[in-house]
Amino acid sequence: MILVFRGQYLYGELEDSVAITAANKTTPGLRPGSFAQLGSKAESAFVEAAYNMQGLFDLSSPLYVFTSFDYANPMLEVASGAAIHRYDIRELNFGLNYLPNKNLILKLQGGQRYYAQDDIDDTTHFSASLGYKFSTEL
């Protein structure tokens, strides 16, 4: 397979968010600060496109160049008060996935993370990782 497209969208609702937020604020010994509030509605999504460059470089194993866009907002809505935008995050990534055999994945990835909250600076990141696939089916 030369081109690969993936995507996912998740949406959820939490019925007891007001009660859980109150418990977070009043539990003895717990100092949650701005982390006490919970969203009553949350959503997240990602889309990814990858191109297998194995044939281009005459490699014996797949080498995918990819780009992805991720979005997460665990406080899409809150049942009481105003939602904070600290966790409303969008991320654009680029990278390489190399599969030297059917179980190993070597990954290089870099990207930019964008925060909806104005007083949090956007960040740039880079990572190198090694993954192991427990299943050989894609």
Side-chain angles (χ1 to χ4, degrees), residues 8 32 67 127 135:
Q8 178 175 295
T67 185
S127 64
S135 172

Side-chain angles (χ1 to χ4, degrees), residues 31-133:
R31 294 185 209 152
S34 64
F35 301 101
Q37 187 181 39
L38 291 176
S40 58
K41 294 183 181 179
E43 71 179 355
S44 69
F46 85 90
V47 292
E48 178 181 278
Y51 176 73
N52 186 352
M53 298 174 50
Q54 179 179 358
L56 188 63
F57 294 113
D58 198 29
L59 300 170
S60 60
S61 298
L63 173 67
Y64 291 94
V65 61
F66 70 89
T67 185
S68 66
F69 176 78
D70 301 88
Y71 159 73
N73 188 354
M75 290 194 204
L76 182 64
E77 289 185 22
V78 293
S80 68
I84 59 173
H85 298 291
R86 176 184 183 92
Y87 307 105
D88 183 351
I89 299 170
R90 287 153 179 80
E91 192 170 307
L92 183 61
N93 296 294
F94 300 93
L96 295 171
N97 286 330
Y98 179 62
L99 291 72
N101 65 43
K102 65 181 182 178
N103 296 100
L104 290 178
I105 303 170
L106 303 170
K107 183 174 196 167
L108 297 174
Q109 177 175 311
Q112 183 80 23
R113 183 174 285 174
Y114 305 94
Y115 296 89
Q117 188 167 319
D118 293 335
D119 63 342
I120 300 177
D121 293 333
D122 296 338
T123 59
T124 301
H125 62 273
F126 178 79
S127 64
S129 55
L130 171 67
Y132 184 83
K133 290 181 5 181

Side-chain angles (χ1 to χ4, degrees), residues 3-22:
L3 289 173
V4 176
F5 296 98
R6 298 179 233 264
Q8 178 175 295
Y9 175 79
L10 297 172
Y11 172 85
E13 295 185 19
L14 180 61
E15 292 178 8
D16 295 336
S17 62
V18 174
I20 296 169
T21 297

